[in-house]
Amino acid sequence: MKPSGSGDLLVRLLGALQVLPGVGQRSAQRMALHLLQRDRQGGKLLAEVMLEAIERVGHCQQCRNLTTDEQCVICRNPERDDSLVCVVESPADVMALEQAGVFSGSYFVLLGRLSPLDGIGPDDLGLELLIERLAGGAIRELIIATNTSVEGEATAHYLQELAQPYQIKVSRLAQGVPLGGELEYLDRSTLALSFNNRAEIH
Amino acid sequence: MKPSGSGDLLVRLLGALQVLPGVGQRSAQRMALHLLQRDRQGGKLLAEVMLEAIERVGHCQQCRNLTTDEQCVICRNPERDDSLVCVVESPADVMALEQAGVFSGSYFVLLGRLSPLDGIGPDDLGLELLIERLAGGAIRELIIATNTSVEGEATAHYLQELAQPYQIKVSRLAQGVPLGGELEYLDRSTLALSFNNRAEIH
């Protein structure tokens, strides 16, 4: 687009805003004008918090989740059960599970998934940390909660084999028809799977 | 939501991102994780450009558009016709018209519209600047391009009366069926207006 009044700087701002996921030219324009015309205070705060987070947020030394400290708030919380470990792909999955509010154990965040084509192997998922915890004997159940994509499934399989020598319980999130899902619009594989895994009603 | 690993700072970042228009809890989460996991460089740049823009971008002393200088690039451009002045509500409208590429005159940005209920009167729209330019005798056409909302129409009417003493041409953007618009889905008022204002085909 042509510069339209504040030349270079506004154009640079529009470009920079588009690093955000889901933000294209149009929404960048809307965001920039909103910040400049209506909320400079909020924009300044956002920029400052962003810089601080980028500077200070690292990974938990125990579970690899995002944190500003050595250990994240979940690993530090004495009320969470360390012997239950739920393995997820990303910090977003931790947030989703925490919001569901069903789990009071601890997590292990892979920060990715096995993907040989992208050159992502077991070493890139920090699995030595998990093996250490498994070998320590303090884990009694490993709950595998990787995504149900091809790579997620392969990662789940790998984790299952990894845990086998330690003779602990290994589980996987249930798969089937989502709540509120309409059979009519469900993909065929999920439908077939949930049909085959049908549960008897008592 | 509960903090989930980096405690306070991540929660503050999620809150701060929601000052952006159209960004709720979900997209804030997606943006924060994207920045922290995949593009810290881009995030840092964005924060810096944002701070610079918030610091430096002000308003053009001639047309009130956003600019880092005393006059915006359009007002400074000797190839633009200063005697045609298009009056718009916001810098976003200037961008839209510039992108349409039909106009080579200059602008006047109201940075709002008349809205007595919100306490926005003529003084808040910088009209003394426009009157000065009208009185200077250098304007030959005033093109009114306020929105077609109730307030926009009222503002257009006010501008028309304002220009009357100076005996210059005053025009308004054409109204009717938008290109690609389907009559079936058009609101009744627009349909009635475009029917009544039908143009003879030669």
Side-chain angles (χ1 to χ4, degrees):
Chain A
M1 62 161 286
K2 293 186 213 163
S4 65
S6 34
D8 244 16
L9 185 54
L10 197 50
V11 173
R12 276 196 289 139
L13 179 57
L14 293 184
L17 279 165
Q18 292 177 53
V19 307
L20 297 172
V23 176
Q25 180 70 25
R26 278 268 158 167
S27 7
Q29 206 166 294
R30 204 153 60 98
M31 286 173 175
L33 293 173
H34 176 84
L35 290 181
L36 291 172
Q37 286 187 264
R38 275 191 283 270
D39 199 2
R40 295 204 179 203
Q41 193 77 41
K44 188 151 177 280
L45 189 76
L46 169 57
E48 286 164 356
V49 175
M50 233 156 85
L51 283 176
E52 192 187 341
I54 287 167
E55 178 77 18
R56 288 184 48 208
V57 172
H59 295 287
C60 173
Q61 293 186 355
Q62 181 164 326
C63 77
R64 304 181 94 218
N65 197 5
L66 295 170
T67 179
T68 48
D69 303 301
E70 289 199 0
Q71 289 203 348
C72 71
V73 286
I74 295 176
C75 288
R76 280 202 316 261
N77 186 344
E79 287 177 16
R80 311 274 313 206
D81 186 349
D82 269 359
S83 68
L84 299 177
V85 176
C86 178
V87 186
V88 296
E89 291 181 16
S90 89
D93 302 327
V94 175
M95 286 190 193
L97 280 160
E98 286 297 291
Q99 278 159 25
V102 284
F103 184 55
S104 59
S106 64
Y107 292 93
F108 187 80
V109 184
L110 299 171
L111 298 174
R113 59 200 123 180
L114 289 182
S115 180
L117 285 180
D118 301 320
I120 300 174
D123 290 350
D124 302 302
L125 305 181
L127 292 178
E128 68 286 356
L129 271 174
L130 185 61
I131 292 172
E132 214 171 88
R133 278 169 80 181
L134 285 166
I139 296 180
R140 72 187 154 94
E141 180 174 353
L142 200 68
I143 302 160
I144 301 176
T146 53
N147 288 323
T148 53
S149 61
V150 175
E151 291 97 345
E153 292 291 344
T155 310
H157 189 75
Y158 187 91
L159 287 168
Q160 193 186 339
E161 299 218 316
L162 192 81
Q164 211 158 30
Y166 304 100
Q167 303 193 324
I168 57 167
K169 187 170 164 188
V170 177
S171 58
R172 182 118 175 73
L173 296 198
Q175 298 180 336
V177 185
L179 297 195
E182 303 199 43
L183 295 194
E184 187 180 347
Y185 300 115
L186 208 59
D187 65 289
R188 269 188 291 181
S189 331
T190 303
L191 196 53
L193 179 139
S194 56
F195 188 87
N196 291 330
N197 293 350
R198 64 193 178 277
E200 201 177 330
I201 299 169
H202 299 286
Chain B
M1 62 160 286
K2 293 186 214 163
S4 67
S6 34
D8 245 13
L9 184 55
L10 197 50
V11 173
R12 274 197 291 140
L13 179 58
L14 293 183
L17 279 165
Q18 292 177 51
V19 307
L20 297 172
V23 176
Q25 180 70 24
R26 277 268 159 168
S27 7
Q29 206 168 292
R30 203 155 60 97
M31 287 174 173
L33 292 173
H34 176 85
L35 291 181
L36 291 173
Q37 286 187 264
R38 276 191 283 271
D39 197 3
R40 295 203 178 206
Q41 194 77 41
K44 190 152 175 278
L45 189 76
L46 169 57
E48 286 163 357
V49 175
M50 231 155 86
L51 284 176
E52 192 187 341
I54 286 166
E55 178 77 19
R56 288 185 47 210
V57 172
H59 295 287
C60 173
Q61 293 185 354
Q62 182 163 327
C63 77
R64 304 182 93 218
N65 197 4
L66 294 171
T67 178
T68 48
D69 303 302
E70 288 199 1
Q71 288 203 347
C72 71
V73 287
I74 295 176
C75 289
R76 281 202 316 259
N77 186 344
E79 288 176 17
R80 311 274 313 206
D81 186 349
D82 270 359
S83 69
L84 299 176
V85 176
C86 179
V87 186
V88 296
E89 292 182 17
S90 88
D93 302 326
V94 175
M95 286 190 193
L97 279 161
E98 286 298 290
Q99 278 158 26
V102 285
F103 183 56
S104 58
S106 64
Y107 292 93
F108 186 81
V109 185
L110 300 171
L111 298 175
R113 60 200 122 180
L114 289 183
S115 179
L117 285 180
D118 302 320
I120 301 174
D123 290 349
D124 302 304
L125 305 181
L127 291 178
E128 69 286 356
L129 272 173
L130 184 62
I131 293 172
E132 214 172 90
R133 278 169 79 181
L134 284 166
I139 296 181
R140 71 186 156 96
E141 181 176 353
L142 200 67
I143 302 160
I144 301 176
T146 53
N147 288 321
T148 53
S149 60
V150 174
E151 291 97 344
E153 292 290 345
T155 310
H157 189 75
Y158 187 91
L159 288 167
Q160 194 187 337
E161 300 219 315
L162 192 80
Q164 212 158 27
Y166 304 101
Q167 302 193 324
I168 58 168
K169 186 169 165 189
V170 177
S171 59
R172 181 119 175 73
L173 296 198
Q175 299 181 336
V177 185
L179 297 194
E182 303 198 44
L183 296 194
E184 186 180 347
Y185 299 116
L186 208 60
D187 65 288
R188 270 187 290 179
S189 333
T190 304
L191 196 54
L193 179 139
S194 56
F195 187 86
N196 290 332
N197 294 349
R198 63 192 177 279
E200 202 177 331
I201 299 169
H202 299 286

